[in-house]
Amino acid sequence: MYHSSKIRVKPSVKMADLIDANPRLLLMLQHFNIDFRVSDQTVQQLCEQYDISENLFVHIANLFNGFNTKGFQLNTQKELIQVVNFLKETHDYYRSDKYPQISSYIRHLQENHPEREIKMLEKFFNDYFVEVLDHLDYEDNIAFPYFLSLWENEAHDDTQERYSSNEYSDHHTDIELKLKDLKNLLLKYVKIDNDLDVRRKLFFSLYELEFDLYIHSLIEETILIPSGVSFEENRDAK
Amino acid sequence: MQNRTPIHIALLETSRIICEGIQAILYQSPELDARVHRVEDLEELGELLENQSTDILIASPVHFVNREKEINSIRKEFPTLSIAVIDYGVMRQSPLPHDATLSLYDTPDHIVQSLLKLVNKNRLFCKMHQDDNLTKREIEVLTGVVNGLLNKEIAEQLNISVHTVVRHRKNITTKTGIRSQSGLTIYAISKKIVNIEDIEI
């Protein structure tokens, strides 16, 4: 459900118009720590005000709008830090907003429907949530510091635990696949009577989460990992 | 009930009078768009079924005598083929499984209605089997997965290769859209493939 509103984001476009065409961009602003009251500012002005790399902002906004252009090479340490901060913000959004919300809907369903099937669904989600938290902690504590160290630590100490960008990419878990399982179980198989309000809210939450996870992994795979790999190659060639 | 898609009917009957009579009834009916394929024997029937997806076989039971094995294997290979046998009123009832009986004394309308019933039942069956319905083997593999068995253990239990188990698991995921073991467990319970009481939560 990679929704695309086909407006290509350019520095000269007004941010408010972009949001009007694709409200999901609000989530992006939040991940960049930009306030929603964007006045009449263009993308360029907004980036200046918040001191955010314009190229990076345009690239990510285009991902949100459905343009998966070629990868994006991080050119400065500032850009790297901004990408990592963006991803960390998305982690907070999963941890403290999206997952608790989904969890509360499922608990609600479980309370209304005593069938063991729903109980198993809740357990499925809880186990999944634990896996997600593990993965987010891993990224926050191991992967992101590694990428940041690539820039800071030019004289890389080789005795240090060898870790590489590709390893990070292998570590990518099946978070998106389990989410698909959950969606399919609810859409096709598990019978729940009534409670349409809660179930609709649950579906919308799942779809929102799916969308954001998709963008999140696109950023990791098309920006962070290729940049890390090319940095490693340069370093090793020295 | 109107049935616009053509219905392919194999006619296994050596009497020309009966053949032409049945064809006339089918072709004259405004309710079905029948395409009749005449075959002389079971071999020709086999060839036809291979090349043309066929809805119904109308056969004189004479051809079934002592050919039970072949009929059964045809049924297995073409599970959506319905078989209607012609009742001449002189032969004992065919012992073989069949889905309908047409009597020589039936009215044309009665014959058309019987055939339409078969077709509708059939198409419903096809529809059900297009989606997530698993084969018997896939259900056996799924039950193993749900019980937490390794591929190797499932292979030993069912006496098939690990490679085959992997293939079945892939098909199960393609059909159901569910990949994880815990997700498949919930699927199996929803579909009543396993009993919920047997699963530890």
Side-chain angles (χ1 to χ4, degrees):
Chain A
M1 61 138 255
Y2 188 36
H3 169 83
S4 76
S5 54
K6 287 283 178 189
I7 294 188
R8 197 175 271 281
V9 181
K10 292 185 198 119
S12 57
V13 184
K14 295 238 161 93
M15 193 62 221
D17 292 341
L18 289 173
I19 294 170
D20 242 1
N22 181 12
R24 287 169 197 275
L25 288 168
L26 288 168
L27 189 57
M28 183 195 74
L29 292 186
Q30 198 182 344
H31 293 340
F32 269 123
N33 267 320
I34 295 176
D35 194 86
F36 296 147
R37 200 181 58 89
V38 292
S39 315
D40 225 11
Q41 294 190 93
T42 62
V43 167
Q44 188 181 8
Q45 289 163 337
L46 199 66
C47 287
E48 256 167 47
Q49 188 196 332
Y50 284 89
D51 193 23
I52 288 166
S53 156
E54 187 184 292
N55 286 337
L56 181 69
F57 184 95
V58 168
H59 182 82
I60 293 180
N62 273 319
L63 291 180
F64 270 80
N65 270 9
F67 295 101
N68 185 8
T69 44
K70 48 197 172 347
F72 179 86
Q73 181 70 41
L74 295 170
N75 291 316
T76 61
Q77 188 178 10
K78 191 178 129 197
E79 280 179 343
L80 172 73
I81 292 170
Q82 285 176 354
V83 169
V84 168
N85 284 342
F86 183 95
L87 293 174
K88 279 186 177 165
E89 286 294 325
T90 68
H91 287 183
D92 282 346
Y93 164 72
Y94 302 148
R95 257 193 285 255
S96 56
D97 184 341
K98 219 65 223 167
Y99 281 96
Q101 188 187 40
I102 293 171
S103 180
S104 81
Y105 291 144
I106 294 182
R107 196 171 324 119
H108 192 122
L109 285 179
Q110 205 255 313
E111 280 163 10
N112 287 0
H113 304 268
E115 294 92 338
R116 284 184 84 189
E117 242 171 298
I118 316 287
K119 204 175 165 111
M120 291 191 69
L121 207 64
E122 192 185 21
K123 184 178 182 302
F124 178 89
F125 181 77
N126 290 342
D127 291 348
Y128 167 62
F129 193 22
V130 170
E131 253 176 68
V132 172
L133 288 178
D134 274 356
H135 179 71
L136 298 182
D137 287 347
Y138 160 82
E139 290 195 344
D140 284 344
N141 299 326
I142 297 176
F144 293 162
Y146 170 76
F147 284 104
L148 292 171
S149 79
L150 280 178
W151 255 266
E152 286 161 2
N153 194 8
E154 281 275 10
H156 195 72
D157 184 2
D158 268 31
T159 54
Q160 190 183 329
E161 187 187 350
R162 289 296 287 193
Y163 176 81
S164 74
S165 305
N166 279 322
E167 191 181 319
Y168 171 61
S169 129
D170 290 342
H171 200 277
H172 260 189
T173 56
D174 55 357
I175 284 179
E176 284 162 87
L177 293 176
K178 282 250 172 83
L179 184 61
K180 266 198 185 96
D181 279 7
L182 186 60
K183 240 176 46 196
N184 277 330
L185 285 169
L186 286 167
L187 267 181
K188 298 182 181 171
Y189 306 119
V190 176
K191 192 171 176 297
I192 304 173
D193 291 326
N194 308 317
D195 257 336
L196 286 177
D197 279 340
V198 182
R199 285 159 65 200
R200 172 178 41 76
K201 288 177 193 162
L202 173 59
F203 273 122
F204 272 74
S205 288
L206 291 174
Y207 282 114
E208 277 167 14
L209 176 63
E210 185 184 39
F211 180 82
D212 204 68
L213 279 172
Y214 180 69
I215 303 277
H216 183 269
S217 60
L218 270 183
I219 292 174
E220 289 176 349
E221 279 157 22
T222 66
I223 302 180
L224 199 56
I225 295 169
S227 298
V229 168
S230 79
F231 196 93
E232 283 164 10
E233 281 166 3
N234 286 338
R235 182 195 62 200
D236 294 344
K238 276 179 195 167
Chain B
M1 198 189 300
Q2 293 280 334
N3 230 313
R4 280 282 148 245
T5 34
I7 298 166
H8 289 271
I9 298 174
L11 188 50
L12 177 59
E13 165 61 67
T14 33
S15 156
R16 191 156 164 201
I17 295 177
I18 293 174
C19 269
E20 307 235 322
I22 289 175
Q23 272 176 281
I25 289 171
L26 297 181
Y27 285 149
Q28 277 161 23
S29 162
E31 280 184 85
L32 66 163
D33 177 11
R35 310 284 157 87
V36 178
H37 309 269
R38 278 164 72 169
V39 289
E40 293 284 317
D41 48 36
L42 285 182
E43 284 67 41
E44 264 186 41
L45 174 68
E47 259 173 56
L48 172 73
L49 295 179
E50 290 289 341
N51 299 315
Q52 168 64 54
S53 124
T54 307
D55 301 288
I56 301 173
L57 164 69
I58 300 177
S60 136
V62 181
H63 292 276
F64 290 179
V65 176
N66 294 331
R67 307 292 291 269
E68 292 169 31
K69 254 199 189 144
E70 280 130 301
I71 303 290
N72 280 332
S73 79
I74 285 176
R75 290 222 112 175
K76 231 187 227 163
E77 202 175 335
F78 303 98
T80 60
L81 176 77
S82 302
I83 299 180
V85 294
I86 304 167
D87 175 12
Y88 296 89
V90 285
M91 274 186 69
R92 56 185 158 67
Q93 269 292 325
S94 163
L96 283 164
H98 55 273
D99 308 294
T101 310
L102 306 177
S103 157
L104 284 191
Y105 305 101
D106 280 344
T107 61
D109 188 51
H110 188 268
I111 290 179
V112 167
Q113 291 310 323
S114 309
L115 296 181
L116 277 177
K117 232 188 251 171
L118 287 181
V119 170
N120 289 330
K121 204 175 86 191
N122 236 330
R123 301 221 157 130
L124 196 73
F125 178 85
C126 288
K127 232 183 176 171
M128 273 167 53
H129 280 247
Q130 266 166 8
D131 48 28
D132 63 294
N133 278 33
L134 304 179
T135 64
K136 193 165 158 274
R137 199 46 135 190
E138 284 160 359
I139 287 174
E140 286 168 346
V141 171
L142 176 63
T143 310
V145 173
V146 168
N147 288 325
L149 300 185
L150 301 171
N151 285 350
K152 197 169 149 263
E153 293 167 324
I154 297 173
E156 274 166 21
Q157 198 182 57
L158 300 178
N159 220 355
I160 53 180
S161 71
V162 174
H163 180 78
T164 311
V165 173
V166 171
R167 205 187 67 225
H168 283 309
R169 290 192 64 158
K170 257 191 204 146
N171 289 340
I172 291 169
T173 294
T174 312
K175 284 187 185 177
T176 61
I178 312 283
R179 192 175 296 259
S180 63
Q181 196 243 349
S182 40
L184 284 171
T185 304
I186 298 174
Y187 168 82
I189 289 166
S190 298
K191 286 275 170 175
K192 308 229 178 335
I193 290 170
V194 296
N195 193 343
I196 194 160
E197 308 305 329
D198 298 341
I199 304 290
E200 279 179 35
I201 297 186

